[in-house]
Amino acid sequence: MSDQIILRVATKIVVPPIVLFALYVQFHGDFGPGGGFQAGVILAAALILYGLVFGLRRTQKVAPSWLVRTCASLGVLIYALVGVEGIVLGGHFLNYSVFFPLHPEEGQHLGILLVELGVMVTVFGVMATVFYFFAARGREDL
Amino acid sequence: MELVLTFLLLAFLGATALGVAKTRNLFSAVVLAGIFSFLSAGLFTVMDAVDVAFTEAAVGAGVSTVFYLATLALVGGKVRAPEIRITTVKEKQTARTPRFPLVVVVVTGAILIYGTLDMPPYGEPNNPIHRHVTPRYLEETDEEIGVPNVVTAVLASYRGYDTLGETTVVFTAAVGVMMLLSRLKKRDELGEEPWGEEPVESLDVGFGALEPSLESGDRLAEGEGRAEELAT
Amino acid sequence: MNIVVHYNYWAFIFLMMVGFYILISRRNLVKKIMGLNIFQTSVFIFFISMGVVKGGQPPILPDDGRQLIFSNPLPHVLILTAIVVGVSTTAVALALVVRIKEAYGTIEGDEVTAMDNELPA
């Protein structure tokens, strides 16, 4: 579809706001609707839109296949490590209050932020990986 | 107002679901499924579940439609006529539209409706579901967590174990897709096939590739040819 | 026992049964997965509807500490994650369909069965 000038121009205009919106959804998720799951999906949607219009090769220059695969596993690792950090600091697994013993609710806030970051990274990585693999399959018999 | 919206959305949802059941063009079925997701996102909003509506709109109507289209580009977009039934490779029989599934569905639905008669009324504040742990979440979140969005607080803190498990499931699904769709090219010296993928030229997933979808007859012939190959 | 208070549960059961019907009556594998998705979405709606409180608000606490009636946040949390897990498992199912198409040349369930039955043992 890369010969369609309207699609190309519109995609170039639309993709940056989508990425920005994903980050807004991520970091505003504590205060309004949103969070890691939604942000990850929206971020992946930006990448998929780019991939549909400009082709897989140019997309994989932006986000190579190894990078998105690493993201998929990195997010789970971030989540689990935040949990382990709670044990290291003397609390329970996934208890964020011990991060700042004097201000438990700030520890909770930090923990939620990190955990949601892990969720976003994983969901983005998974959706992008699945898309890459389906798209690459399509080229096989051509 | 809320009631009218709910009824309208439910009516549209029913119509779209029936449309998915009826159509024999998979492309229109995919689009109808996307509409179904979008309508259900609307219904979630009416039911005060803004986070869920957000997710459903992004996931159901966006990403999963793309996955379906990518699949259709690989497998073709037509459904075979329901009157033809294949029992052996060489023969095709014409069969009546099967009644049995309809009977099963009606009976199951009747049993489920009978079950709802014992359910608490819709929207009552004293329903059992609202009296268990929820009051604690709603009252303590402000002090314990300090995050205004209670859904986020429950998701990431009170029920962090759940979410860790779900994230792992999502990751596992990606591993499954990678194993199913990676291309096995070279065998090593032991004759085993390593998992791998290779760089790809460009992507024309979806719309262009969907057009030359095979007619049902061609598909049958192709299937038979394939089966004869297998048999010989 | 008031019948009218259950109307929306019945609507979800109708949707669920349409999905179930697609799942068991259609032979096309992609169609079956779509039926499963409709089934799944109607279960989601059913869950969310149990969390509704009449006159309630979305469960986001206001800044000024006003006491409002909130809908139940717990089903929201469960369904939120279930939606994302659902799309991931759908992707796995679709990948399986792609592999079946490559191995058998068809995605109609009965053709696949017919070929399986006639393979030399």
Side-chain angles (χ1 to χ4, degrees), chain B residues 56-71:
Chain B
E56 179 69 40
V59 172
V63 176
S64 88
T65 308
V66 172
F67 289 168
Y68 273 117
L69 288 180
T71 311

Side-chain angles (χ1 to χ4, degrees), chain C:
Chain C
M1 184 174 60
N2 193 348
I3 298 288
V4 189
V5 293
H6 295 113
Y7 69 89
N8 56 345
Y9 297 145
W10 298 350
F12 309 142
I13 288 172
F14 172 74
L15 292 178
M16 200 189 291
M17 287 304 113
V18 172
F20 188 38
Y21 179 73
I22 297 175
L23 179 66
I24 60 177
S25 73
R26 301 289 175 241
R27 304 195 193 93
N28 187 291
L29 296 175
V30 176
K31 210 67 184 291
K32 273 179 192 285
I33 297 173
M34 277 176 195
L36 203 59
N37 262 335
I38 289 180
F39 193 103
Q40 193 181 24
T41 308
S42 50
V43 174
F44 295 161
I45 305 175
F46 181 66
F47 247 75
I48 296 295
S49 79
M50 290 203 292
V52 173
V53 177
K54 262 184 203 137
Q57 298 280 323
I60 296 170
L61 305 173
D63 291 338
D64 46 12
R66 273 175 297 149
Q67 287 297 313
L68 298 172
I69 304 168
F70 296 112
S71 285
N72 195 330
L74 193 53
H76 300 187
V77 174
L78 301 178
I79 297 310
L80 182 73
T81 49
I83 289 175
V84 181
V85 169
V87 75
S88 315
T89 47
T90 303
V92 177
L94 291 173
L96 278 169
V97 170
V98 169
R99 289 299 296 266
I100 288 173
K101 168 75 177 177
E102 284 168 4
Y104 291 87
T106 176
I107 51 165
E108 303 284 339
D110 53 345
E111 291 178 29
V112 173
T113 318
M115 284 185 213
D116 273 347
N117 289 341
E118 304 203 355
L119 274 181

